[in-house]
Structure formats: C-alpha cells, structure tokens
Amino acid sequence: MRVLIVEDDAALAERLAALLGEAGLVAETVGDGREAAYLGCTEDYDAAVLDLGLPQLDGISVLRHWREAGRVFPVLILTGRGRWSDKLAGFGAGADDYLTKPFQHEEVVLRIKALLRRAGGHADPVLQAGDLSYDTFAGRFSLHGEPLALTAQEHRILAYLMHRKGAVVSRAEIGEHVYARDLEPDSNTVDVLVGRIRRKLPPGLLVTERGLGFRLVSEPEFRD
C-alpha cells in the first residue's frame, strides 16, 4: 500500500516514512504543495498524510485539488493549527482524519492503517481469507493460527491482496500500489513473487485469472 507524506519538515517526513515502512507500507515524501497536488492526481496512492502549512500551495488547497480531480484516497491531516475553524475547513475540503501537533509519531501509523482498512470496506482490524489472517494493527500474517514467514515484498503484495480480497488485481495495479513510483517492477517479477506467496498458502486460496491478474478468495477455489 502506497502512502504519500506531504510535509515540509524534512526530518519529520523522513521519520514518518521510516515508521510506515517498518509497518509494511511504501511511503513517499514531498515538501511542496504544488508538487503534492500534482502527484496526488497522477499517482495511485492508497492514502496521504497532509500538512496544512506548506510552501507554494497550502494543504487545504492541495486537498481540494485532489477531491475536485476525483481522487478519493483517505487523507490524514497533520497540523499545528488546533482551532475548530481549521478542523472544520479540513473536513470540509475532504479530509478523513485530523491530528494536531505535537503528536506521537506511532499514532500516525495506527490512524493510517485504520483509514486503509476502512477504505477497503473492512470493519474488523483482523482481515481473514480462509485460514489466513492478517492483523492490520500488528502487521502480522498467520496461517492456521501460526505465524506465516514472508519476505518484505511478499508481505506488501499479500497485504494489498488482503485489503482487496475478492477483487481481481492486475500486475500493473500491484506495481502501482506496492512499489514506490521510481521502483515499479516488470510483470515477471510480480509473477515470481506471487508464485512464492501461493506456495506458502493453502491450495486454491490465491487464484490466477488468466490474462487479468490475481484474486485472493475467502475460501479455496479449485478449477478443472
């Protein structure tokens, strides 16, 4: 899952990116409002962390720009402005959550995870596909109640498929949502990683839709 961090405090942005990375997410940072407005409209992010006090273009204008362009990914606003009028403006522009500075950096991770889960239509923090479980808060997979060993890239791909359970996910979509914009893999790399994941899961749980992509199902499917 890709998250855009829009924050002109470079040290804070890098710290948040590191924490989100440790949580299995792909975080990209930008410190300029105009560039943020452009990236949010041209890249496939799953969520954004948005500061309000930005150079070139303020955060509220950035958010309005995204929403007017039809971008619906959840947005968590970070700001030093604690007045009710500022919060009202943020929610009015299309924000999904609001956090006032100073804050615990780890809280940003928890809130982003919650926003991602709700955006995928999941109420329970533990996602389930057959005997496979994914604890979105802890960032851990388990199979038959036992920890499932995955590489970092396998973890990111399977986490994305869990959030999109039941939907056909193309190779291109995996590349856009699991990798940073300058590290998108070729389709063969995705196939190899998905193949490795499939071998670690019960047969029939991760289905290949020929010519379309992959689908993680609630119960194993077996085809002739």
Side-chain angles (χ1 to χ4, degrees):
M1 311 286 274
R2 287 175 68 194
V3 179
L4 180 62
I5 300 172
V6 187
E7 171 61 64
D8 62 340
D9 182 334
L12 174 58
E14 290 304 318
R15 175 58 178 158
L16 293 177
L19 287 172
L20 289 169
E22 291 170 6
L25 304 173
V26 175
E28 300 174 16
T29 64
V30 61
D32 178 276
R34 291 195 184 280
E35 185 178 359
Y38 172 77
L39 289 175
C41 290
T42 57
E43 295 289 330
D44 287 314
Y45 295 106
D46 297 290
V49 179
L50 177 64
D51 187 25
L52 293 186
L54 297 167
Q56 302 300 321
L57 191 67
D58 67 272
I60 294 295
S61 297
V62 170
L63 182 51
R64 287 198 180 110
H65 189 79
W66 290 343
R67 297 312 192 214
E68 288 169 0
R71 309 302 273 183
V72 297
F73 52 80
V75 175
L76 167 63
I77 284 181
L78 299 181
T79 181
R81 309 171 186 176
R83 294 176 301 180
W84 170 246
S85 59
D86 294 317
K87 294 182 179 181
L88 188 62
F91 285 119
D96 298 273
D97 201 356
Y98 200 108
L99 199 53
T100 304
K101 301 175 183 177
F103 50 82
Q104 292 291 327
H105 294 172
E106 290 76 9
E107 185 175 355
V108 174
V109 178
L110 292 177
R111 291 193 183 219
I112 284 294
K113 285 183 174 182
L115 288 175
L116 288 170
R117 174 171 49 80
R118 291 198 295 269
H122 305 288
D124 195 317
V126 178
L127 309 185
Q128 199 80 27
D131 292 320
L132 176 68
S133 298
Y134 180 51
D135 186 330
T136 59
F137 281 163
R140 296 192 188 98
F141 281 98
S142 61
L143 183 62
H144 304 298
E146 297 296 326
L148 180 63
L150 298 164
T151 67
Q153 291 294 1
E154 291 169 357
H155 186 284
R156 291 189 182 106
I157 291 174
L158 187 53
Y160 184 69
L161 291 172
M162 285 292 276
H163 280 87
R164 301 271 287 131
K165 186 182 67 175
V168 177
V169 178
S170 69
R171 293 165 178 82
E173 186 177 344
I174 289 174
E176 291 166 353
H177 290 266
V178 177
Y179 293 84
R181 64 180 182 275
D182 55 347
L183 295 174
E184 291 184 12
D186 57 39
S187 60
N188 184 61
T189 299
V190 173
D191 283 340
V192 169
L193 289 168
V194 170
R196 291 177 182 171
I197 294 169
R198 182 181 283 114
R199 289 192 290 273
K200 297 179 180 182
L201 300 180
L205 196 63
L206 180 51
V207 178
T208 296
E209 300 290 354
R210 198 171 300 277
L212 299 174
F214 312 99
R215 182 166 55 91
L216 189 70
V217 297
S218 297
E219 295 297 336
E221 292 184 4
F222 299 99
R223 302 179 178 183
D224 297 331

